[in-house]
Amino acid sequence: MDRQETRRRPTPPRFPELPGASTPQELNQALLKQFFHGEPPELVDTVLLPFRDCPPLSADEIGRAIARSSPSSAPGPDMMPNSVWKRVHRVAPHLISDLLAPLVTYGSHPLTRKRADGIVLDKPGKSSYDSPSSFRVIVLLQTFSKILARIMNSRLSCVAQVAGLLNPHQCGSLAGLSASDAVTTLTHKVKTLPIPQRKVTKLFLDIKGCFDNVNPSTLCGLLRAKGVNPYLVSWTRSFLSGRTCRLRYQGSPKVFAPVSVGTPQGSPVSPLLFVIYVSRLHCEIPGGLTLSSVDDFGLTVSSSSYRRNVQILQRHYAELKAIGARLGVGFSVPKTELIHWRTNRDRAPISSIPVHLGGSIFRPKAEVRWLGYWFTPSLATTTHFVKRRSKAQAAFVAVKRLSPPGISLPPFLCHRLASSLLFPILSYGADAFVPTVHMTR
C-alpha cells in the first residue's frame, strides 16, 4: 500500500511547466513575479564624489572579511569561489585593497557586482507543480561583492550601537547577541513578573516576507536621521538599488532582469540592515517587554488577570501593525501564537481566553516553539528536551542505515559521525534550559 501511494505522488518536473507560459520568456517572467514582489527601486542618477570623512580601508579589515568567507560557499554569476580570493589575498594583498578602496571612498556598489543567480528548485511534497508557488529560489551572490558587504557590515554594526539604530531588546544577527540571549531574557522576565501576583501572557509574531519588504529610501532616511556617516548611507542606497537576477533552471533564457529584493538574500550585511529597519517596531510596554530575534517578535504583558492581558495585547498589536504598515511590513497569521504563563504554585484553572487580532482568533497553546526552543506555560524544560531527543533518535536511525553489518562505513567513522551529528541536536537549548534529572537518565 505504501509503495502504491509513493508511486501516485507527482514527480517534480525537471524544469517548471506552468499553464499560460508557452515560451521560456513567459515562464521566466511568471517565476520572477513569484519570487520577487513589487517594482524594482528606481536608480538615482548621482555624480559620484569622494567622501572626505570616510575612514581609509585597512588591510586588517580586508583580512578579517576574507577569513570569515567560507571556501565552500557556492559562487554567483562571477563563478569565482572564495578560495580564489583567499589565495589572491595571500599572493598580492594590495590587489583587493586597490579594487575595494575607491568603492568605500565614493560610497558606491557597482552595477556589475549587483548581479545574482537564482537557482529554481521545486518544493517537496506538493500535490501539483503547475503553479509558480510550487517552486522556490536560492539566490547566489558574487563572492567579491560579499567581501565588500562584509566590510561594510562590520563598520555599520559599530555605528549602529553608538547611534541608537538598534533597540536593546533586539537579538540575532548582532555580535554577541544570539537566540539564546533572547530566550534567557524572556525566561527571566516571565519568572520575575508574577512575583506581585500578576498574570503574564505572551504573543508570538513573525514578520511576513522578512528581508523582501525593506524599503531603501525609508532605511536610508532612518540612517541619515540618526547621524550615520554619509558614505555609509550612500553605499547602503547604492547596494539596495539596481539589482538584477538571472533565474537558472533547465530551459531558462538565462537573462538578467531587474528585481525588487529589499535586502538581498545571502548577503552578509542584509540581516543587520533588516534589524535596523524594524527597530521601530519595538514599542514600550509598561510592565511588559517587546523582544525580537531578527524577524521573530514577541509581546509580553502582565496585569492582574489574563483577560486584561488579552486587551493590552490587542491594543499594542494595533499600534505595532500601524507602525509596520508605514514601514511596509506585516505579520504572518499562521505563525501567530499565544501562551498564558503560570507558575507551579498557581492552583487556578488553566486559562483558555483567546486573543482577537484582525478578525482572527488565536487560542492559547500548551506548547509553543520559538527560535528552536519549546516553551510550556509553566516553563518546564521536559517538553523541549523530549523534542530534541526525538530528533536525535531520527538522526541516529539515518546514520545506522549507512553502516549495515559487514559493509559500508567502518565503526570509528560511524562513531565520529554520530557524535558530530547527535550531540548538537541533543544539546541545543542547554545554554538556556536545564534538563531535569529524569531526562538525564
Side-chain angles (χ1 to χ4, degrees):
M1 185 64 180
D2 294 338
R3 293 181 178 179
Q4 292 179 356
E5 291 180 357
T6 303
R7 292 172 183 172
R8 292 173 185 172
R9 293 175 184 172
T11 302
R14 296 180 64 186
F15 59 93
E17 296 179 355
L18 306 179
S22 56
T23 65
Q25 289 74 18
E26 292 178 352
L27 176 61
N28 199 67
Q29 285 299 320
L31 291 173
L32 285 172
K33 290 181 180 179
Q34 170 65 27
F35 300 141
F36 307 103
H37 306 286
E39 295 295 328
E42 296 181 0
L43 283 173
V44 180
D45 296 329
T46 57
V47 178
L48 294 179
L49 297 174
F51 291 91
R52 297 180 180 178
D53 54 351
C54 173
L57 187 62
S58 66
D60 291 339
E61 285 183 293
I62 298 176
R64 288 193 299 268
I66 294 179
R68 290 197 296 266
S69 301
S70 173
S72 60
S73 179
D78 56 358
M79 300 303 293
M80 297 281 285
N82 285 319
S83 57
V84 172
W85 298 117
K86 289 177 179 287
R87 184 173 299 180
V88 168
H89 186 63
R90 285 196 302 266
V91 176
H94 62 87
L95 180 59
I96 296 180
S97 176
D98 293 342
L99 293 173
L100 293 181
L103 302 179
V104 176
T105 304
Y106 284 82
S108 176
H109 201 88
L111 288 173
T112 55
R113 296 302 168 189
K114 290 187 275 191
R115 294 177 176 178
D117 279 341
I119 311 301
V120 179
L121 302 174
D122 56 86
K123 295 179 180 178
K126 289 290 183 178
S127 58
S128 64
Y129 292 88
D130 56 358
S131 170
S133 60
S134 301
F135 300 88
R136 58 191 177 95
V137 63
I138 296 178
V139 178
L140 302 179
L141 305 177
Q142 300 184 54
T143 52
F144 190 76
S145 172
K146 287 185 176 182
I147 297 175
L148 177 57
R150 192 169 277 110
I151 293 172
M152 303 305 279
N153 177 72
S154 299
R155 292 191 173 191
L156 185 57
S157 61
C158 296
V159 174
Q161 301 288 346
V162 179
L165 290 169
L166 302 172
N167 189 280
H169 294 138
Q170 284 183 290
C171 302
S173 302
L174 302 173
L177 293 173
S178 62
S180 63
D181 296 292
V183 172
T184 302
T185 302
L186 173 60
T187 53
H188 173 75
K189 193 72 173 179
V190 171
K191 290 180 179 179
T192 55
L193 282 177
I195 290 178
Q197 302 302 319
R198 298 172 70 87
K199 305 297 183 183
V200 185
T201 303
K202 185 174 183 67
L203 181 67
F204 296 91
L205 302 169
D206 183 88
I207 295 181
K208 183 170 52 179
C210 195
F211 295 173
D212 298 340
N213 297 319
V214 175
N215 185 290
S217 299
T218 304
L219 176 60
C220 292
L222 175 61
L223 297 178
R224 280 192 295 268
K226 293 293 185 178
V228 176
N229 197 307
Y231 86 93
L232 283 173
V233 180
S234 175
W235 181 87
T236 301
R237 186 174 185 84
S238 175
F239 174 75
L240 296 179
S241 61
R243 291 206 156 265
T244 57
C245 183
R246 175 179 60 185
L247 296 183
R248 299 183 69 95
Y249 53 89
Q250 184 173 343
S252 66
K254 297 180 181 179
V255 294
F256 288 97
V259 293
S260 173
V261 296
T263 54
Q265 177 191 133
S267 175
V269 74
S270 291
L272 176 62
L273 294 178
F274 176 78
V275 170
I276 293 173
Y277 188 72
V278 298
S279 61
R280 297 183 185 181
L281 294 176
H282 280 260
C283 54
E284 292 294 330
I285 301 178
L289 174 68
T290 301
L291 185 66
S292 72
S293 179
V294 192
D295 61 333
D296 293 297
F297 271 71
L299 303 181
T300 305
V301 299
S302 65
S303 68
S304 58
S305 66
Y306 291 121
R307 190 172 299 279
R308 176 62 179 161
N309 286 348
V310 167
Q311 295 173 354
I312 297 173
L313 283 174
Q314 291 174 168
R315 184 174 71 251
H316 282 287
Y317 176 80
E319 298 174 1
L320 206 64
K321 190 176 180 181
I323 298 174
R326 292 194 292 270
L327 295 175
V329 300
F331 297 98
S332 175
V333 173
K335 296 182 180 180
T336 301
E337 295 180 299
L338 177 73
I339 189 170
H340 292 310
W341 306 105
R342 53 190 287 118
T343 64
N344 293 329
R345 293 176 294 179
D346 194 347
R347 302 306 178 190
I350 298 176
S351 176
S352 59
I353 300 175
V355 63
H356 299 256
L357 305 174
S360 300
I361 300 177
F362 301 94
R363 303 189 181 279
K365 297 287 189 68
E367 298 175 354
V368 172
R369 183 177 181 269
W370 191 61
L371 306 181
Y373 296 74
W374 285 91
F375 294 90
T376 60
S378 62
L379 281 179
T381 61
T382 303
T383 299
H384 172 80
F385 288 105
V386 166
K387 300 284 188 182
R388 302 310 305 179
R389 185 174 61 185
S390 299
K391 283 183 171 291
Q393 289 172 342
F396 175 75
V397 171
V399 173
K400 191 176 180 180
R401 291 174 182 169
L402 297 175
S403 184
I407 59 175
S408 195
L409 297 177
F412 79 95
L413 286 181
C414 286
H415 181 269
R416 183 180 299 179
L417 180 60
S419 299
S420 61
L421 179 64
L422 301 182
F423 181 74
I425 296 175
L426 280 171
S427 61
Y428 183 84
D431 49 0
F433 289 168
V434 178
T436 61
V437 177
H438 174 72
M439 289 298 300
T440 57
R441 291 176 180 175

